[in-house]
Amino acid sequence: MDTIVDAHCHLADPRLYPDLDGALARAAGASVSTIIAVGAIDTIETDRLTVEIADRHPQVFAAIGVHPHNASDCDEPRIAALTALARSPKVVAIGETGLDCHYMHSPANAQERALRRHLELARALDRPVMIHCRDAERRLCEIVRENGLPPAGGMIHCFTGNAAAAQEFVEFGFYVSFSGILTFKKADALRAAARLVPDDRLLIETDAPYLAPEPYRGKSNEPAFVRRTFETMVALRGADASALAARICDNLARLFRLPAH
C-alpha cells in the first residue's frame, strides 16, 4: 500500500481526541505516514493540546492559529500566546486563518484583520501559512496580494473553489489541498479543479472530524479516510498511484520542511 499523508485534520477535536490512539493506529494501518494536526478552533487551549499531541507522536506535526470563525478573538494576547507555542519544533505552520463568507461567524472586518496578522506572524516566524477560504476567493487574493505570501509559502486547505480559483492560488505560490468533498456526487466543479492543479502543488487532507468522504459521509471523519480522497484523485488525474503518492508526500515535506520520505 502506497504511503500517503493527511495535510490537515483536527486531532484535538472532542470527536477525535478521546480515541486518539485508535485513530492514529487506524491511520498507520492505512499507510498514512504523516499528519498535520491543526489547532485554531475555539480557544488557545485547542492549540496547546494540538502541540502536546504533536510532541507525543513523531508522525504528527502542528499548525496553530485562530480560525476565521473565531477571528473576533484574535487580539494581541492571543498572538503572543501563539508566538510562544511556536517555539516547539513540531509547530510547522501558522493557521488556519483566512476568510469565511459563507457562515460569517465573525464579522468580515475582524476576519480580514486576523488574516493580515497571521500573514505577518508567519513571515516573522518563518513558517508557511495555512489558509481557510469559503466563498471569499477574490477578497482573499486581494489581501494576499497587498500583504505578500510569507517567504515560507502557504497552503489553501480544503479547497472548494473552481478551476480558475485554483489556478490563481497556484500562481500566487500556494499549495492546494483537497478533502473528502472531492468524493461527493455533486462536486463536479471541484473535481475539474483537482485535475488541473500541478503535481508539485497538490496536497490531500481529511479536515477530520469534518467532511468524511464517501462512503463514510455523515460519520465522523478520521485521518485513515484520506485514502478514499487519494484514490479519487488518482482516478481523476489518470495517474500512477505510486508516483502520485510519492509526489504528494514530497510536497508536504517541502512545504512544512519535514524529513523527506
Side-chain angles (χ1 to χ4, degrees):
M1 189 183 298
D2 296 308
T3 297
I4 56 175
V5 297
D6 184 354
H8 183 114
C9 66
H10 298 275
L11 296 182
D13 189 280
R15 284 166 286 184
L16 265 177
Y17 186 68
D19 188 30
L20 177 64
D21 289 342
L24 293 178
R26 290 187 290 275
S31 293
V32 180
S33 65
T34 307
I35 295 169
I36 307 299
V38 183
I41 296 174
D42 296 327
T43 72
I44 191 68
E45 296 308 317
T46 305
D47 297 282
R48 290 197 176 106
L49 181 55
T50 300
V51 175
E52 289 173 13
I53 292 167
D55 285 341
R56 295 200 308 264
H57 299 279
Q59 77 276 34
V60 179
F61 297 84
I64 57 173
V66 183
H67 194 283
H69 291 346
N70 307 113
S72 297
D73 300 325
C74 186
D75 54 15
E76 286 310 305
R78 182 76 172 262
I79 292 295
L82 292 171
T83 302
L85 276 177
R87 295 191 187 108
S88 167
K90 296 301 291 288
V91 173
V92 297
I94 300 302
E96 63 189 277
T97 182
L99 303 176
D100 193 312
C101 293
H102 181 78
Y103 289 109
M104 294 297 292
H105 290 324
S106 281
N109 61 350
Q111 293 188 45
E112 293 189 9
R113 281 197 305 271
L115 171 58
R116 293 177 194 276
R117 194 65 183 88
H118 280 72
L119 291 169
E120 294 168 2
L121 185 62
R123 183 179 296 275
L125 297 176
D126 193 27
R127 302 288 210 286
V129 65
M130 189 174 283
I131 299 285
H132 170 113
C133 182
R134 186 82 187 271
D135 297 342
E137 287 84 1
R138 183 182 297 265
R139 184 59 182 146
L140 178 65
C141 287
E142 290 172 353
I143 291 173
V144 173
R145 190 174 289 110
E146 292 166 9
N147 287 262
L149 187 64
M155 164 182 147
I156 303 294
H157 111 84
C158 190
F159 177 76
T160 56
N162 58 23
Q167 180 62 33
E168 188 164 12
F169 284 137
V170 168
E171 289 172 359
F172 265 115
F174 282 108
Y175 291 73
V176 181
S177 183
F178 292 85
S179 71
I181 296 174
L182 199 68
T183 71
F184 294 1
K185 290 182 175 63
K186 296 183 179 180
D188 290 337
L190 186 64
R191 284 187 283 272
R195 293 186 186 98
L196 298 178
V197 173
D199 282 355
D200 65 352
R201 292 288 162 175
L202 188 66
L203 290 169
I204 54 173
E205 65 174 86
T206 57
D207 201 17
Y210 312 102
L211 301 175
E214 298 288 357
Y216 310 107
R217 192 172 181 185
K219 299 180 181 179
S220 183
N221 201 2
E222 60 178 84
F225 295 168
V226 75
R227 184 154 293 277
R228 290 289 300 116
T229 301
F230 172 70
E231 291 166 351
T232 299
M233 185 70 75
V234 168
L236 280 174
R237 295 169 72 94
D240 175 82
S242 295
L244 188 62
R247 177 56 69 95
I248 290 172
C249 288
D250 287 346
N251 292 345
L252 189 88
R254 185 169 60 252
L255 176 61
F256 296 117
R257 301 173 183 172
L258 308 180
H261 287 74

